[in-house]
Each structure stands twice: as C-alpha cells, then as structure tokens.
Amino acid sequence: MSSPPLSPLSPLSPTLGNIPIKWRRVSETGTGAFRNRIPTQLRRALPLYAVVAVLLFLMFNAHVVTLPPSASSILNGHHQQQPADHGFPKKIWQSWKVDPYNMATRDLNTAKTWTSKNPGYRYELLTDNNDMVYVEEQYGPHGINRPDIIDFYRAVNISIIKADLLRYLIMYAEGGVYADIDVEALRPIKRFVPERYWDSLSEIDMVVGIEIDQPEFRDHPILGSKCMSFCQWTFMCKPRLPVMLNLVENIMTWLNSLAAQQQVHLSELHLDFDEVISGTGPSAFTIALLKEMNRISHSPKEITWDNFHAMDESKVVSRVLVLDVEAFAAGQGHSDSGNHNARGALVKHHYHASNWPSKHPRYAHPVYGEVERCNWDLACVQKWDRDVEAYKSLSIEEQNKLKEERRMELEKLREQQLKEQEQAIRLEQFGEAVRKAEEEQRRREELEREMKERMRVEDQALKPLHPEQAGAEEKKEGEELIMFGGRPVPGQGQDMGAIGEGEQKKVVEQQQPVFGQPMPQNDKPFGGL
C-alpha cells in the first residue's frame, strides 16, 4: 500500500490519479482546495504584502519595538548624545516667599540659570501664597489621599520646617529636580548623571551629592550630628519613592512628640539650630537615605557613611547615585570640596536665602562663641574645645572678667563691621554716581556730535552761491528751477550770459526766495500754492 502524498498539488496534477479516493478528498477540501481558490498572481504577491504589513507595523509602533542602544548607535552612525529619562521627570522645582514677578533681582537672576541651561524642562515655583493649594491638591482625596499630611502641613508655623517638608512632599508626589532659590545652576541637568551611567538609568532612582564629609568629628558633642551628610539643597529623584514619604512621616512623628514635650500646639513650637538640622534638614535627610539603602540592599554588610567618605568619583549604592562633594557643594572650604571653577561643579550655593539660623540660633559659648565658625578646621575646633573646658574650671569672678573682655571685643568688632558696611555703601553709591556721570558725559558728547553735524549741514545749505560757482552744479537743459542747498541758482529761466553785469545783479535780487521755498511759477506766488 502506497503512502499518501505529503503535499498534493492540485486536482489537475497527473499524480493525483494515483491517489486513493480517501486521500484525494482530504486534498480537495484541504490545502490544495484552498490554493485553488486564490488566483496565481495574488499568491505570488502575498510575500510582498506581508513585508509591507510588517514595515507598517514597525512604523506605527516604534515606541513598542525599539532597538537596543548599541544597535541604534550603529545605525545612526554615532553614539547616543543624550541620556534617556527612564522615569526622571523633566521638571525643576523651587520654593520661595514670593512669585517671580515680585522677586529681588538677585533671586530672579539665580532662578533664571535653571531655565536657561535646561530649556527642555518645565519650571515651577511654589510660594507662601500657593503652597497650601498644592499640598491639598496632591495629597487630597483625588491624589495621594493623605488628609493627615494636609492637616499637619497646615498646622506647622515654622518657615524652615515648612520649606524642608514641602520639598519632600513635592518630590514624593511628582519627582524631578529640586533646588533652593539661592542655588545657581552651573551646568545642565543632564550632567547630574555621568555618561557611564546613561545606559543604566533605569536602575537609578535618585541622584544626591555629598555636603559635609568630616567623619573625624563624629564624637564631637556639637558637630557630631552634622559632620556627615548628603546635600538636600539640590537633588533629583523619581516620583513616589518610599524614602521621601518616610521622611515626611518621620518629621510628623518627631514634631508631634516635641510639641507634646513642650506642651504646646504645633504652631507654637520653638526649635534651635541643631534641632532643625537633625529633625528636617541634611542630617534627617541623610539618616533616611542610609536606612532606605540598607532596606533594599542585598549585601549582608551594613551601608554606613564609610561607603561615601573621601569619594574620588560618583557611585551607585542601592539605586541611589551619589556624587562627590564638588558636584553640589563646591567652594565650602572644607570636606575637600574644591571650587566652582572645576569641571565637576554643577551648582553654586550663594546662601543669601539661608537666614533661618537667625531665628533658630546655634549654641554659642558666652566667651568663645560658636564652634561652627571654625568651618570644620580641626586645629580651630580643638582650641575651642580646650578654651571651653578651661572656662569651666574658672571662678565666677574670672569668668565675668572674660565675659567683659569678650563684650568689649564684640563691640569693637561690631563697630568695625559697621564702618566696613558704611564704607561699602559709600563705595557703591560713589560707583553708581560715577556710572551715572559717565553715562551723562557720553550722552552729552553724543548730543554735541549731533548738533555739530546738524550745524554743518545747515551752514552748507545757507552758504551763498557766487555766479562764478554756478558751473559747479550741472544745469539741465530746459529746467526752470535748479536747487542748491535749498536755494535756487541765480539765472533761473534766463541766459545770464546774454545780459550785462548790472542786469544780472538785479535779476538775482528779484528772484531771491524765502529759504527752502521754490520760485514762483506761472505768475503764481510760491509755486501756485
């Protein structure tokens, strides 16, 4: 018994007659019958139609079907020049007391650096007049739905606490780049991520920089809590990161407990400098970040500040890209922060909006003042510690004597500062006066030049023309009026050479017009007017 054919051709095939009836029926009702229903020309064009369909699909679904970076680079003939967003919103956020229309020129010029260097980013400024509206919108029932956060933010009455809290609320809700109003953009935001990380941006959720890297002071009673911190006056992150919400909730818990201790309402709390720093500022920011890094880390070894001390280059730890101190905190004079002229400096903090310590003062010794004035200089801090310790062993009379000496020194210092301030004001006023005088002198010289040029033109126009100079102007044949400098040339309409000298003078006197007016024509005065 012969085996059935695998692919019968058609009912007209010469081999079909040898096929048993049962196999022939399958063929006629199967593939062969289907092929016989399709015209030959159409069957030949089917592969072309398939190719066109695939191309159309790729064209209209390019966002779904993409080439790997290496392949696209090869096809484009060059490497990718811009990092992909990968979840980082192209938004710049700032907050301040007033809107841009009422900003001081200094603040406005600093804010403009962000939009000028990042034209493809959306910029938004929240103020004391619209921040509550923003929080209610984002954290209300149509948003994140956290009425407790709305009530807490409304109750807080301390400006610096609200400023810190607002940046965390913004970055949790929408993400992007946050910068204090006194931070100047030195480089575009794309420089926040080194090029070697562009292909792995999907594995990065946040970009921060080092602010203070002085771990040798970790045991100092005053400086210990502030000597190791990430910068929070500028940072970038994706929206809805747990660390941002954890920060907000930690602040709520801390302030509520502090209000209970002080037995006051949230709006009546009093905080000193260190409480602000450790409660909502850089120290709180750093503690929350380290905790989150350890939470998502797969390493058995704990992540501590030692992972970031004396960094030579940026690194990614637990989905956080940490930049060296030069990136966001250059020019501080400590922590090996370098200067703002360095290629790695991305922003410049001017500190002119950082006047909140005046309302929340640091600890100041009655004689030796604030240890922060040492600016993390080890020798200075050690001397301050020795002086403070020696002061404790003095008698009351000796302490009072030192206080009086210190008071007199401060008075002299204040007098000197006042004189310097007055001198600076006088110099500024003098400089402004000199500038105005120079501007006035330039304007006067410009007016004099204009006047001289006008007088030259008028003198040229009023200069009398003698008969022997008549040949200097080309006289056209049949022309009734020849003007020179606004005056008619003597001899209009007459052949001056055909009359005598006395008659020529009489003609000139009769035909002398008013300056700038044409000669009478057809017996009508002044051209028939």
Side-chain angles (χ1 to χ4, degrees), residues 194-205:
E195 190 171 351
R196 64 180 179 274
Y197 296 117
W198 285 4
D199 293 335
S200 57
L201 266 179
S202 60
E203 301 173 7
I204 298 174
D205 291 335

Side-chain angles (χ1 to χ4, degrees), residues 169-419:
L169 292 173
I170 292 171
M171 298 303 272
Y172 177 73
E174 299 197 55
V177 175
Y178 178 86
D180 280 353
I181 199 65
D182 54 359
V183 175
E184 174 188 355
L186 301 178
R187 306 283 187 271
I189 290 173
K190 70 176 183 180
R191 292 279 298 274
F192 284 17
V193 180
E195 190 171 351
R196 64 180 179 274
Y197 296 117
W198 285 4
D199 293 335
S200 57
L201 266 179
S202 60
E203 301 173 7
I204 298 174
D205 291 335
M206 194 171 186
V207 180
V208 299
I210 303 293
E211 179 186 355
I212 301 176
D213 182 25
Q214 301 286 167
E216 61 270 25
F217 295 100
R218 70 178 75 209
D219 296 326
H220 194 274
I222 297 175
L223 301 177
S225 62
K226 301 171 283 191
C227 65
M228 300 169 288
S229 63
F230 295 118
C231 174
Q232 48 105 246
W233 61 59
T234 302
F235 65 97
M236 179 171 73
C237 74
K238 297 176 181 178
R240 307 302 172 99
L241 294 184
V243 65
M244 291 291 105
L245 188 59
N246 290 340
L247 261 169
V248 173
E249 292 174 342
N250 291 343
I251 292 171
M252 293 171 62
T253 302
W254 170 66
L255 283 181
N256 282 324
S257 63
L258 200 60
Q261 292 176 14
Q262 297 184 12
Q263 297 182 350
V264 296
H265 188 264
L266 278 174
S267 60
E268 300 174 351
L269 273 174
H270 294 282
L271 304 175
D272 61 28
F273 179 88
D274 291 329
E275 287 174 326
V276 172
I277 292 293
S278 61
T280 66
S283 295
F285 185 69
T286 302
I287 293 171
L289 273 179
L290 290 175
K291 184 177 180 180
E292 181 67 11
M293 289 177 182
N294 281 292
R295 185 184 71 82
I296 65 176
S297 174
H298 300 292
S299 173
K301 186 177 181 181
E302 181 184 6
I303 298 172
T304 66
W305 190 259
D306 293 337
N307 294 81
F308 311 105
H309 175 53
M311 284 174 47
D312 293 328
E313 60 180 7
S314 58
K315 64 172 67 174
V316 176
V317 179
S318 297
R319 302 186 66 85
V320 177
L321 173 58
V322 182
L323 307 179
D324 60 26
V325 66
E326 190 177 65
F328 292 160
Q332 296 182 104
H334 61 77
S335 304
D336 195 20
S337 58
N339 59 74
H340 296 106
N341 297 323
R343 186 176 183 274
L346 304 176
V347 303
K348 181 177 182 179
H349 194 188
H350 291 276
Y351 299 98
H352 56 247
S354 302
N355 61 349
W356 64 268
S358 61
K359 300 178 182 179
H360 308 276
R362 300 178 176 91
Y363 169 76
H365 190 271
V367 175
Y368 303 110
E370 303 167 353
V371 68
E372 285 88 352
R373 293 183 180 275
C374 290
N375 199 29
W376 304 99
D377 179 76
L378 182 59
C380 178
V381 172
Q382 289 174 343
K383 183 179 184 305
W384 187 91
D385 290 340
R386 289 194 301 269
D387 291 341
V388 169
E389 194 63 29
Y391 177 85
K392 296 177 182 179
S393 61
L394 298 177
S395 64
I396 299 297
E397 292 78 10
E398 291 174 324
Q399 289 182 357
N400 290 336
K401 182 179 179 180
L402 286 177
K403 288 180 181 178
E404 181 63 20
E405 293 175 355
R406 177 61 177 170
R407 187 186 63 80
M408 295 178 64
E409 289 178 2
L410 287 177
E411 286 183 359
K412 291 180 181 179
L413 180 61
R414 289 172 187 146
E415 290 178 2
Q416 181 65 25
Q417 291 175 344
L418 183 60
K419 289 180 181 179

Side-chain angles (χ1 to χ4, degrees), residues 158-169:
I158 302 175
S159 299
I160 184 59
I161 299 298
K162 297 197 81 163
D164 285 337
L165 194 59
L166 182 61
R167 77 187 64 191
Y168 305 144
L169 292 173

